[in-house]
Amino acid sequence: MQQPAHSGTSPLKYHPAYEVLDENRVKRDENLQETLRKISETTYRQSTFTTRSVHGKSHGLIYAEMDIYADLPENLAQGIFKQARKLPLVMRFSTVPGDILKDKACTPRSLAIKIIGVEGERLSGSEEATTQDFLFVNGSSFLSCSVQQFLSNLKSLSSTADSTSEFRQFLSRILQATSKLIESLSGYQAIIKTPDHPAQGSTETHLLGETYFSQDPALYGDFMAKFALVPVAPALIALTNKPIDLTFAADSLRKSVVDFFISHTAEWELRVQLCTDIDQMPIEDASVIWSPDLSPYIPVARITAKPQIAWSPYRSHIVDEGMMFSPWHGIQSHRPLGSVMRLRKMTYELSRKQRSAPEEPKACEPTNLDDLCE
């Protein structure tokens, strides 16, 4: 097992002063709720069942196990990583738009993980659960640097969402990482691609070869951190930037994931970047990339997924329809930080309420993976 390196720079402990609240937050939140409601209504009309307002299409639904490394230094032995142990989890690979697009549309890739059997003081709204969710995107920063800009972008989206082409384009612009992306930890350069304006020479590549970033910060026990999930198994690394076969254009990404897990084991490393300089690594501006020169990503756990049926209608029923993934499902030691994360809490709450309509299946928090391991 690879042991984590020790960081040579002391991390900052969290202080409430690092989170600056907007004086006009109440009015802004009301505007955002109305905007998000319009987007959710549009995606509902375009689907045969209630989908998420974003991340609507899943490509891989995988059960795995996280092995937390032993003998972590004190600043990394925090929260759920305080002691070495193995925990089961669910991985949901998806693309960002809320409508169900054919895979020929180049869109940002997303990964949500739900860790099961987590102990600790719970965040509001998840008191009865024993899970911890982490959300990742294949880019290291959020496009909108402030809540005001995010709200403005969402308003534009809600007013044009009935046009499928514009809907895809705005979603990709809002939720894709910025053009300032640094090289990922696995050594490749991420590229911005929008459905109607793909990057020159861009192709649809295998999503299992991507490095995924949390983009937004969260508490890491006494400290503040961002997370990255990095492929480390040779079979995964070989998929980095590898084009996929678009013969099955509607579900080519899903087929590529299913084909891989027929006979391969996947391994990723979960790495943590601790905040060491609040000015250069701000909490409230999610568009700022935290420089690895100030604080490198350090491994704290390994996630292993053995060969399995990586997607099926049954799994989709259990995960896509039966689970919600939110950074606000978890423990206080990993509470999300910053204005974008506070607004995302509202987004997920709105989605949960819509999906809890009487005619829709109820979302629930799992206590084991028995239902998934069919």
Side-chain angles (χ1 to χ4, degrees):
M1 178 185 300
Q2 179 179 343
Q3 291 300 316
H6 289 248
S7 173
T9 305
S10 298
L12 292 176
K13 288 192 173 182
Y14 171 78
H15 191 283
Y18 295 150
E19 291 191 273
V20 180
L21 300 180
D22 193 309
E23 295 180 357
N24 299 317
R25 179 179 176 183
V26 174
K27 182 178 180 180
R28 182 191 64 211
D29 287 359
E30 290 176 351
N31 291 337
L32 182 65
Q33 279 185 321
E34 177 63 18
T35 300
L36 292 171
R37 183 187 63 79
K38 291 180 180 179
I39 294 172
S40 295
E41 288 177 352
T42 298
T43 57
Y44 179 84
R45 290 195 301 271
Q46 295 176 352
S47 177
T48 57
F49 59 91
T50 303
T51 64
R52 296 158 169 83
S53 56
V54 291
H55 311 290
K57 184 176 182 179
S58 67
H59 305 290
L61 304 171
I62 299 161
Y63 66 88
E65 186 175 67
M66 182 173 71
D67 185 7
I68 299 173
Y69 290 156
D71 301 321
L72 292 172
E74 183 179 358
N75 58 5
L76 293 176
Q78 301 280 324
I80 65 175
F81 307 97
K82 193 169 184 177
Q83 60 186 20
R85 54 178 169 164
K86 297 180 184 293
L87 294 171
L89 59 87
V90 179
M91 307 179 78
R92 182 181 188 268
F93 289 91
S94 64
T95 37
V96 168
D99 54 348
I100 308 301
L101 305 177
K102 293 184 177 180
D103 289 344
K104 282 186 177 179
C106 296
T107 57
R109 285 83 182 281
S110 305
L111 169 61
I113 66 174
K114 186 180 291 289
I115 306 167
I116 300 170
V118 173
E119 301 173 350
E121 182 184 357
R122 304 293 305 180
L123 291 166
S124 175
S126 67
E127 291 88 351
E128 303 302 317
T130 58
T131 55
Q132 173 68 52
D133 293 0
F134 291 110
L135 274 59
F136 303 87
V137 180
N138 65 327
S140 52
S141 72
F142 195 83
L143 180 59
S144 298
C145 66
S146 66
V147 170
Q148 289 80 5
Q149 182 181 345
F150 183 45
L151 178 57
S152 176
N153 289 339
L154 283 177
K155 284 184 175 179
S156 297
L157 171 60
S158 67
S159 66
T160 60
D162 285 316
S163 168
T164 303
S165 175
E166 293 183 3
F167 188 29
R168 295 198 304 266
Q169 181 177 347
F170 272 100
L171 275 172
S172 293
R173 287 179 178 174
I174 292 172
L175 297 173
Q176 176 66 304
T178 70
S179 57
K180 296 165 53 181
L181 292 179
I182 59 171
E183 283 191 8
S184 72
L185 295 178
S186 58
Y188 71 92
Q189 183 67 34
I191 303 172
I192 284 188
K193 295 176 284 188
T194 60
D196 299 322
H197 297 87
Q200 184 177 1
S202 66
T203 58
E204 197 70 273
T205 57
H206 208 298
L207 58 78
L208 293 179
E210 302 273 7
T211 291
Y212 291 88
F213 299 87
S214 64
Q215 295 190 336
D216 302 286
L219 284 177
Y220 192 78
D222 294 332
F223 306 102
M224 303 163 285
K226 291 186 179 183
F227 298 85
L229 197 68
V230 184
V232 293
L236 287 184
I237 296 173
L239 299 178
T240 301
N241 287 335
K242 182 177 180 179
I244 63 169
D245 183 3
L246 291 175
T247 303
F248 304 91
D251 295 303
S252 295
L253 287 173
R254 182 179 297 164
K255 184 178 184 301
S256 69
V257 175
V258 171
D259 288 349
F260 176 87
F261 277 101
I262 290 175
S263 58
H264 291 89
T265 293
E267 289 184 317
W268 296 267
E269 205 162 52
L270 184 62
R271 301 179 183 178
V272 174
Q273 184 184 33
L274 296 173
C275 179
T276 59
D277 186 323
I278 197 61
D279 294 323
Q280 298 186 66
M281 307 171 76
I283 297 300
E284 292 294 335
D285 188 346
S287 72
V288 174
I289 295 171
W290 290 8
S291 171
D293 293 333
L294 294 172
S295 178
Y297 278 94
I298 304 174
V300 294
R302 181 169 295 234
I303 293 176
T304 302
K306 296 181 179 180
Q308 58 190 281
I309 301 173
W311 195 97
S312 69
Y314 176 78
R315 284 199 177 187
S316 181
H317 171 70
I318 296 296
V319 181
D320 291 335
E321 300 176 38
M323 296 183 190
M324 288 286 293
F325 291 84
S326 165
W328 292 90
H329 288 168
I331 60 175
Q332 290 285 352
S333 294
H334 300 301
R335 176 176 64 83
L337 300 173
S339 58
V340 170
M341 280 299 222
R342 291 193 294 271
L343 291 174
R344 288 176 74 178
K345 182 180 182 181
M346 190 188 312
T347 306
Y348 288 104
E349 179 65 18
L350 180 65
S351 179
R352 184 192 65 79
K353 288 180 179 179
Q354 185 182 61
R355 295 177 71 206
S356 297
E359 68 276 10
E360 299 297 339
K362 303 296 184 182
C364 63
E365 290 299 296
T367 58
N368 57 63
L369 294 182
D370 292 347
D371 288 339
L372 198 63
C373 302
E374 82 280 14

